[in-house]
Amino acid sequence: MAYSTIDILQSLAHARADSHLYFAVSGFKAELWIQKGQLRRIVASESSALMEYLTLTLPTIVLQPLYSETFLEHTKETVDLNELALLAAQQADAKAEDVATAKIGGTKKKRATMTPKILYSEVFFSVAIPLICNQTPNERLIIGRDVRNCAIAVDDTRVSREHCCVVRKDENKYRVIDLNSTNGTYVNGCRMTMAEAQAGDFLRVGDHVFALS
């Protein structure tokens, strides 16, 4: 049966779960932090049309336990997942109706958006940090907390001193290697020790999400 990210979110809302969700569909990627069935934070590959992507079927889904609340401390507000699911479904239905009306030559009605304002606030929503890997092929770019030895220094208590490295293999091809970090390195939501990656893939260390570019 075809399913969407909204179906997963509704299940998490019902379970009152603490979860970290990665999803990708139609080129759009996002990571969601969910606490007690409430949406607390989003990092995405772009800042538009989140509600539309939530309703598309057959996404790539990776669900992990919520290991850290570090980046949730300043986010006091939440979004109810059931409410979000209802609004996304309503917007999808409205869009389908508009398309059907346009095909028969009818007049398109202007519809008001009902997306919760907090969803796109700076404390709630952010775009993944571009990680520009312009080193020479096979040269290591180290990410970690150690400002002296790391090309990308990350101020995050869940990041090890030398957490992982990115090796450029080709123009848009990379190899990500975990350097025995305490809390793990994640590529597109999956924990790994070594993984092949490409431009646009998500790399997460601690609570920081990078987009390889």
Side-chain angles (χ1 to χ4, degrees):
M1 184 179 76
Y3 63 92
S4 67
T5 308
I6 281 295
D7 298 323
I8 303 297
L9 292 178
Q10 286 181 304
S11 298
L12 295 173
H14 180 72
R16 301 286 293 169
D18 289 358
S19 306
H20 185 277
L21 176 70
Y22 165 88
F23 81 92
V25 58
S26 297
F28 180 85
K29 297 180 176 70
E31 300 208 19
L32 283 63
W33 280 252
I34 298 160
Q35 192 173 51
K36 294 182 172 58
Q38 300 282 313
L39 182 58
R40 294 288 304 278
R41 182 183 177 225
I42 306 168
V43 176
S45 55
E46 60 183 85
S47 59
S48 61
L50 172 68
M51 298 288 276
E52 177 181 342
Y53 289 115
L54 289 176
T55 60
L56 296 181
T57 57
L58 300 178
T60 298
I61 294 284
V62 180
L63 189 63
Q64 299 277 353
L66 183 65
Y67 292 113
S68 172
E69 300 176 13
T70 307
F71 271 34
L72 304 182
E73 293 173 355
H74 68 293
T75 308
K76 304 303 181 185
E77 296 190 61
T78 62
V79 172
D80 183 85
L81 292 180
N82 283 318
E83 178 187 353
L84 184 66
L86 177 61
L87 294 177
Q90 288 175 344
Q91 289 195 19
D93 290 343
K95 183 177 181 180
E97 185 179 333
D98 288 342
V99 170
T101 301
K103 283 183 178 180
I104 61 175
T107 303
K108 185 177 179 180
K109 296 180 181 179
K110 187 175 180 180
R111 302 177 186 276
T113 179
M114 301 200 45
T115 304
K117 289 183 179 180
I118 183 64
L119 204 62
Y120 287 109
S121 71
E122 290 183 2
V123 299
F124 206 91
F125 185 99
S126 60
V127 175
I129 305 165
L131 182 60
I132 301 172
C133 304
N134 55 8
Q135 72 270 32
T136 58
N138 297 316
E139 180 184 355
R140 300 198 316 167
L141 183 148
I142 300 176
I143 302 171
R145 284 200 342 268
D146 192 333
V147 296
R148 293 170 300 178
N149 297 324
C150 296
I152 306 293
V154 181
D155 184 14
D156 186 334
T157 57
R158 298 192 70 248
V159 173
S160 299
R161 292 178 65 82
E162 292 189 5
H163 195 101
C164 69
C165 69
V166 179
V167 180
R168 181 169 173 249
K169 305 303 293 182
D170 205 343
E171 185 175 354
N172 293 311
K173 302 290 184 181
Y174 308 94
R175 178 171 295 152
V176 180
I177 305 168
D178 182 74
L179 300 176
N180 296 315
S181 65
T182 301
N183 293 304
T185 300
Y186 295 79
V187 174
N188 292 337
C190 295
R191 186 166 181 167
M192 43 63 65
T193 54
M194 184 174 69
E196 304 301 318
Q198 59 186 358
D201 283 348
F202 274 19
L203 167 61
R204 177 162 55 90
V205 296
D207 287 311
H208 283 68
V209 180
F210 298 91
L212 295 170
S213 59

